[in-house]
Amino acid sequence: KSGLDPGGAWHAWGMACLKAGNLSSAREKFNRCLKPPMDLNQLNHGSRLVQDVIQYLEATVKPILIADDDYFATLRELEATLRTRSLSLEVMCEGKIQHNSYYQECLFYLHSYGTNLAIISFYMRHDCMREALLHLLNKESPSEVFIEGIFIPSYESGKLHMLENLLETIDPGLESWGVYLIAACKHLQRKNYYHILYELQQFMKDHVRAAMTCIRFFSHGAKSYTELGGKQTWLLKIKDHLKVYLQEVSRSSGRKKMAFTFRKKMSATDVSRHINTVDLQMEVTKFLHQCESSGTSQMTGSSLPTLFGNNNMKMDVACKVILEGKNIEEGFGIAFRVLQDFQLEATEVYSKVAKQLVKQQKYSEIRQLLKCVNESGVAAKNDGDNIILNCLNEFKNIPAEDLDNLIQDMDSDENKIQAYVMCNKLRSAYLVSVRQEKARAVQLVQHVRQLAESSGDDVVKAICAQWL
């Protein structure tokens, strides 16, 4: 008469029927007020009314464990226990309660009015992981439902191995779980749960991604190469994963198509290249670990460079190796291989090293570096000269004698003149200029005269004028 929504009344009536143990009558009452969700895959447990029904049924079905010290089991609890036990309760081996009519009632309400997540969560609460997985597959639920309903509860309760075993039992090739497993990996990465991620990747036989996780274990958070020295087992694991992957690829190349659709693929040449990088990183790690232990290490940077970074980081590794040995020659061989293997800009690296040596006032070692560069066999004609020219920006800090020695070491007279001009040594620039072929000498001496004029060096200006 008053036009109020009767839903609340039906729900209260239904709950009263449930409490009286009249299950069929309760179904009929609830049918008038409960509705199935619009989207079965929404990430919640359905309406509050459905959750109330399930909560009551589950609470009723829980057997009371009467321990010796449990003096507080009330008469009502004992009565409820006796009533549920009389409803042919059979607790199965894994604590499952399928044959209990209250359990069946829960499933009726969940399947009629609940979401897929609610059904799956119910199965998981009652140790029915297999049923949860089969429901997920049958309904083709999205990966979010798998993460929320099955995966998170599994690893949080230490049942990841049990989950893995069931996934394999249901589908030994794991193909039907591919989407869910990749989503699980992404979830773990977002959470920074890298140890669980690595375990899952090994279970998936996703060797390329497992190798990538090992790279993170090796390099993340390390502050020194002494620290990396203690993490070298991860480098061996990276190699193992990549080698196993190569074997699998060569085994499956005979067949028509590779079955592993969700595992990361990589060409055999790329894998071999990565194995080579790992070998080189092992050499770098041993060498720099040794340098740090013997106290020859000079450089301290904010982040520790490894060969697993971008090209700039690889160049930093090459610089570090050259600079941290007992002398330039000791680390040059390894650094040279880094430059060759990754096709890095060698002159840029050598110039960086030379500038660092100027800062450290190790001028004789710059000459040692030039000797190594020239003997490497792949240096271009002007490489040595360019390295020196790049250092001369710091010429004000270089003692005169060392500066002269460096410029004398240059191959090309033109470069020597350029170097003397950079360092305001106009007299020396004049002396080299006049030794050139006549027409060129005239041009060079004129240029030196102009510079002398603008800088107010009357002596050099007069010498140039007299020669011209």
Side-chain angles (χ1 to χ4, degrees):
K1 280 180 179 177
S2 55
L4 294 173
D5 175 27
W10 286 117
H11 188 261
W13 197 349
M15 288 303 284
C17 292
L18 272 190
K19 286 169 186 172
N22 190 345
L23 302 182
S24 57
S25 183
R27 281 191 188 192
E28 183 205 326
K29 306 296 179 281
F30 285 129
N31 187 37
R32 294 171 184 270
C33 62
L34 298 179
K35 289 180 180 64
M38 298 289 283
D39 174 16
L40 288 173
N41 286 320
Q42 60 198 43
L43 287 183
N44 58 43
H45 291 257
S47 74
R48 185 68 254 170
L49 301 179
V50 179
Q51 289 179 52
D52 287 347
V53 173
I54 302 301
Q55 236 167 351
Y56 173 76
L57 288 167
E58 281 186 301
T60 311
V61 98
K62 275 183 187 162
I64 303 294
L65 298 170
I66 303 171
D68 294 340
D69 58 348
D70 189 7
Y71 304 117
F72 304 104
T74 63
L75 284 170
R76 197 183 299 116
E77 282 173 329
L78 287 171
E79 191 184 326
T81 310
L82 290 170
R83 188 168 73 235
T84 54
R85 289 245 169 99
S86 68
L87 287 162
S88 72
L89 173 67
E90 290 179 32
V91 177
M92 291 177 69
C93 55
E94 290 180 291
K96 296 178 182 178
I97 39 179
Q98 278 99 323
H99 297 290
N100 177 275
S101 53
Y102 277 72
Y103 177 93
Q104 294 303 331
E105 211 59 21
C106 284
L107 285 178
F108 167 78
Y109 287 107
L110 285 168
H111 281 289
S112 305
Y113 311 110
T115 59
N116 284 327
L117 181 59
I119 297 167
I120 284 167
S121 300
F122 175 79
Y123 281 134
M124 291 294 286
R125 278 200 300 280
H126 295 286
D127 292 327
C128 303
M129 196 186 280
R130 184 187 168 82
E131 285 77 358
L133 288 167
L134 290 171
H135 182 84
L136 180 88
L137 268 192
N138 292 337
K139 300 293 177 190
E140 295 178 353
S141 291
S143 47
E144 292 81 8
V145 175
F146 169 73
I147 301 291
E148 286 293 320
I150 299 175
F151 188 64
I152 294 175
S154 294
Y155 71 69
E156 283 184 348
S157 60
K159 289 181 181 171
L160 191 59
H161 283 298
M162 184 180 162
L163 172 63
E164 289 172 351
N165 291 339
L166 278 169
L167 294 175
E168 215 163 18
T169 309
I170 295 168
D171 177 4
L174 299 178
E175 282 305 310
S176 46
W177 305 115
V179 179
Y180 300 119
L181 288 168
I182 294 295
C185 290
K186 286 178 180 168
H187 163 80
L188 293 170
Q189 212 166 350
R190 276 196 303 275
K191 291 272 190 185
N192 286 335
Y193 294 164
Y194 283 95
H195 289 279
I196 305 176
L197 174 65
Y198 182 51
E199 190 190 318
L200 188 63
Q201 286 167 337
Q202 288 179 93
F203 161 72
M204 290 159 67
K205 298 186 175 58
D206 193 346
H207 294 292
V208 175
R209 286 194 180 96
M212 288 157 82
T213 305
C214 290
I215 290 174
R216 190 185 187 281
F217 284 136
F218 171 72
S219 51
H220 185 72
K223 296 280 183 287
S224 70
Y225 261 89
T226 307
E227 226 177 296
L228 287 183
K231 289 173 150 194
Q232 287 190 78
T233 46
W234 288 113
L235 293 177
L236 295 170
K237 284 185 180 179
I238 298 168
K239 271 181 80 171
D240 290 343
H241 283 300
L242 294 176
K243 282 176 178 172
V244 171
Y245 177 77
L246 272 184
Q247 286 164 4
E248 285 183 0
V249 170
S250 62
R251 239 183 277 137
S252 63
S253 60
R255 299 179 212 145
K256 285 207 171 159
K257 77 176 194 29
M258 254 178 100
F260 319 130
T261 49
F262 64 89
R263 297 173 180 94
K264 190 167 178 66
K265 292 188 183 68
M266 195 178 272
S267 71
T269 47
D270 279 351
V271 175
S272 303
R273 209 159 35 83
H274 286 305
I275 291 174
N276 188 41
T277 301
V278 174
D279 285 334
L280 204 45
Q281 180 63 53
M282 283 174 110
E283 238 179 291
V284 166
T285 307
K286 279 176 192 156
F287 178 75
L288 290 175
H289 181 197
Q290 218 174 325
C291 294
E292 284 180 6
S293 306
S294 61
T296 58
S297 177
Q298 297 277 345
M299 289 173 75
T300 48
S302 50
S303 67
L304 200 62
T306 70
L307 298 178
F308 300 119
N310 59 19
N311 278 357
N312 285 339
M313 195 187 262
K314 291 181 179 110
M315 286 160 93
D316 288 346
V317 171
C319 290
K320 197 172 172 66
V321 169
I322 296 175
L323 286 164
E324 296 208 0
K326 286 196 285 287
N327 52 44
I328 293 296
E329 218 167 340
E330 193 187 20
F332 188 84
I334 298 174
F336 183 70
R337 276 179 43 218
V338 170
L339 298 174
Q340 289 291 293
D341 282 11
F342 299 107
Q343 298 176 332
L344 302 172
E345 195 52 63
T347 318
E348 199 179 319
V349 171
Y350 299 144
S351 298
K352 254 185 171 179
V353 170
K355 283 177 182 172
Q356 202 64 35
L357 291 170
V358 170
K359 276 185 191 164
Q360 294 171 13
Q361 300 180 344
K362 294 180 176 174
Y363 308 110
S364 61
E365 297 215 3
I366 296 176
R367 302 177 80 179
Q368 177 79 56
L369 173 69
L370 296 172
K371 180 172 172 280
C372 289
V373 171
N374 290 328
E375 287 171 1
S376 69
V378 293
K381 188 169 177 286
N382 278 336
D383 275 2
D385 289 6
N386 289 334
I387 292 165
I388 295 173
L389 285 171
N390 281 327
C391 286
L392 295 182
N393 301 327
E394 312 285 330
F395 77 91
K396 293 187 184 71
N397 308 326
I398 305 175
E401 190 185 338
D402 291 302
L403 190 59
D404 273 337
N405 286 341
L406 282 175
I407 297 174
Q408 288 299 324
D409 280 347
M410 293 172 109
D411 291 325
S412 143
D413 281 350
E414 294 272 346
N415 288 333
K416 282 181 186 173
I417 295 165
Q418 191 187 338
Y420 283 131
V421 166
M422 276 174 78
C423 303
N424 294 329
K425 290 178 171 287
L426 297 181
R427 187 188 176 85
S428 301
Y430 161 78
L431 290 172
V432 181
S433 298
V434 296
R435 290 209 305 266
Q436 305 310 303
E437 177 260 320
K438 206 58 156 208
R440 182 70 183 131
V442 171
Q443 287 176 329
L444 291 166
V445 172
Q446 281 175 336
H447 179 57
V448 172
R449 185 178 70 169
Q450 282 169 356
L451 290 170
E453 199 171 342
S454 55
S455 65
D457 189 336
D458 294 335
V459 178
V460 174
K461 182 185 159 190
I463 297 170
C464 291
Q466 187 181 351
W467 185 87
L468 285 165

